[in-house]
Amino acid sequence: MEITQIYVNLPIKDVQKTRDFWTKLGFSINEQFSNEKAICVIMKADHIYTMFLKEEFFQTFTNRAIAKGDTTQTLLAIGVNSREEVEHMVKTATENGGSTYSEPQDHGWMYQRAFSGLNGHQWEVMFADMSKLPTE
């Protein structure tokens, strides 16, 4: 078995504000799957997408309560190509309504920072230099 694509679905309050937030971070939108109820952010073309669904629309897919942003349902970790990209993404997120929720973590081989988006979803942004990964 091989997964060819992944769609992460997250509830949001405002589609347009979410669109603005993620495009300011440098991501493209798949307009084919976006409308007034949802926005499809392309995380990695042809492979990874985040579907931000208006809460009312999100609720049609589940009979469970939606986390309201003050609890942690999941941590979303994304890898980028450099420490500078980590810093840029977190800085841009906080300048556009996001917030940080932890201190930067520097493990030598991996550098990580984290931010919460407009709806409280937690994103951990990391850069890993596998050539420096400890062997023990």
Side-chain angles (χ1 to χ4, degrees):
M1 161 105 43
E2 180 180 319
I3 294 172
T4 59
Q5 294 179 324
I6 184 169
Y7 289 82
V8 176
N9 295 276
L10 298 171
I12 60 168
K13 294 185 184 327
D14 188 296
V15 171
Q16 188 59 50
K17 285 181 181 177
T18 301
R19 174 188 286 270
D20 294 344
F21 182 83
W22 286 95
T23 55
K24 286 176 183 172
L25 285 174
F27 291 90
S28 298
I29 306 301
N30 181 334
E31 297 296 348
Q32 184 179 9
F33 296 115
S34 300
N35 57 33
E36 70 282 349
K37 294 190 250 180
I39 180 138
C40 179
V41 176
I42 303 167
M43 297 291 183
K44 182 170 176 67
D46 301 322
H47 297 291
I48 305 169
Y49 304 88
T50 302
M51 293 295 302
F52 292 100
L53 309 173
K54 209 160 175 180
E55 287 181 349
E56 301 80 22
F57 185 49
F58 184 93
Q59 195 68 67
T60 66
F61 294 96
T62 182
N63 60 1
R64 296 174 66 187
I66 297 173
K68 295 298 181 194
D70 58 353
T71 61
T72 300
Q73 220 36 46
T74 185
L75 295 174
L76 302 154
I78 53 178
V80 296
N81 291 314
S82 69
R83 288 175 65 113
E84 293 76 23
E85 286 185 25
V86 171
E87 290 296 330
H88 177 73
M89 183 175 286
V90 173
K91 180 178 184 282
T92 304
T94 58
E95 289 173 349
N96 289 284
S99 62
T100 58
Y101 61 86
S102 65
E103 294 297 318
Q105 303 290 317
D106 190 345
H107 302 283
W109 67 278
M110 182 176 71
Y111 180 69
Q112 174 185 336
R113 295 212 45 205
F115 70 89
S116 291
L118 299 177
N119 294 278
H121 305 299
Q122 295 176 280
W123 295 88
E124 298 190 352
V125 188
M126 65 180 172
F127 165 67
D129 182 345
M130 297 309 286
S131 70
K132 295 180 181 177
L133 178 68
T135 56
E136 293 184 18

